[in-house]
Amino acid sequence: MSTIKVDRIEPQDGLQSNAMGGIVQVVRVVHTGQVSSNSTTYVSTGLQASIKPRSASNKIMVSFEHSVYHSNGFGNLSIHGIKIKRGTQAIYTPVTNNIGPYDFGLVNNTTSDYSNYYNRSRVEYLDSPATTGTITYSTEIALYQNNNGTVYVNYSDSNTVEAPKSWMTLTEITA
């Protein structure tokens, strides 16, 4: 008769059978490229990350944070929206009205002067992709109201010491 003693056995995928809510894998991407928009038409931010789920029933937590700068906003508005895409399909679209998206930004009711605005825009979205194939998530940005300045992702100029960064984290979670 033989005896095997171990402190712990970990399954290859990181969780025991029938376990729920555990983290299977994490992918993180950092992006420093500068992108701008001065329209309500969405443009790619250049930030994207890919993941290959281990189970079609698992969920993917998509988290991103963009370094954002608005320049020359007029009429006291510096507002923008950021969309999340899975492949070519939009899975999260910001609140929008007839003059554009308005998830993030600044409204200053005390002035009608031109204004500049720096901030970080962050979103978390729980996706159910139902596949084990490789998935690419990306973001797009648009300005609220055409001709209302320009919104930049990762804005830098000659005074910038270190390039601003945006990042995306994809976390596969057991369902």
Side-chain angles (χ1 to χ4, degrees):
M1 177 191 242
S2 298
T3 302
I4 298 175
K5 295 182 179 183
V6 297
D7 292 330
R8 180 175 62 188
I9 296 176
E10 291 186 23
Q12 180 178 353
D13 289 338
L15 294 168
Q16 298 174 7
S17 298
N18 301 321
M20 294 178 60
I23 294 174
V24 178
Q25 64 177 313
V26 176
V27 173
R28 183 170 176 92
V29 172
V30 177
H31 180 65
T32 58
Q34 181 175 296
V35 175
S36 65
S37 173
N38 60 1
S39 134
T40 57
T41 301
Y42 282 92
V43 297
S44 172
T45 65
L47 179 63
Q48 67 177 28
S50 298
I51 192 167
K52 186 175 183 343
R54 295 197 179 136
S55 171
S57 63
N58 288 350
K59 308 225 182 265
I60 305 295
M61 176 64 77
V62 181
S63 304
F64 71 81
E65 187 168 312
H66 281 295
S67 172
V68 176
Y69 169 66
H70 281 267
S71 69
N72 298 325
F74 186 73
N76 58 18
L77 294 172
S78 295
I79 303 174
H80 65 279
I82 300 175
K83 180 188 289 190
I84 301 173
K85 294 178 79 176
R86 179 191 336 116
T88 59
Q89 177 187 3
I91 58 170
Y92 172 78
T93 301
V95 177
T96 303
N97 65 18
N98 62 341
I99 51 177
Y102 57 96
D103 260 4
F104 303 101
L106 173 71
V107 176
N108 182 351
N109 291 325
T110 63
T111 183
S112 60
D113 294 333
Y114 286 95
S115 62
N116 296 328
Y117 168 74
Y118 288 95
N119 205 349
R120 298 198 64 83
S121 299
R122 178 175 171 70
V123 170
E124 289 185 346
Y125 180 83
L126 187 61
D127 188 29
S128 301
T131 185
T132 57
T134 300
I135 307 162
T136 299
Y137 292 93
S138 60
T139 59
E140 295 182 343
I141 193 165
L143 188 67
Y144 179 76
Q145 253 184 345
N146 285 330
N147 304 317
N148 193 28
T150 304
V151 61
Y152 295 87
V153 172
N154 298 334
Y155 176 79
S156 63
D157 61 20
S158 61
N159 296 319
T160 304
V161 176
E162 182 179 342
K165 295 174 179 68
S166 297
W167 51 80
M168 180 181 288
T169 305
L170 306 177
T171 306
E172 182 180 0
I173 303 167
T174 55

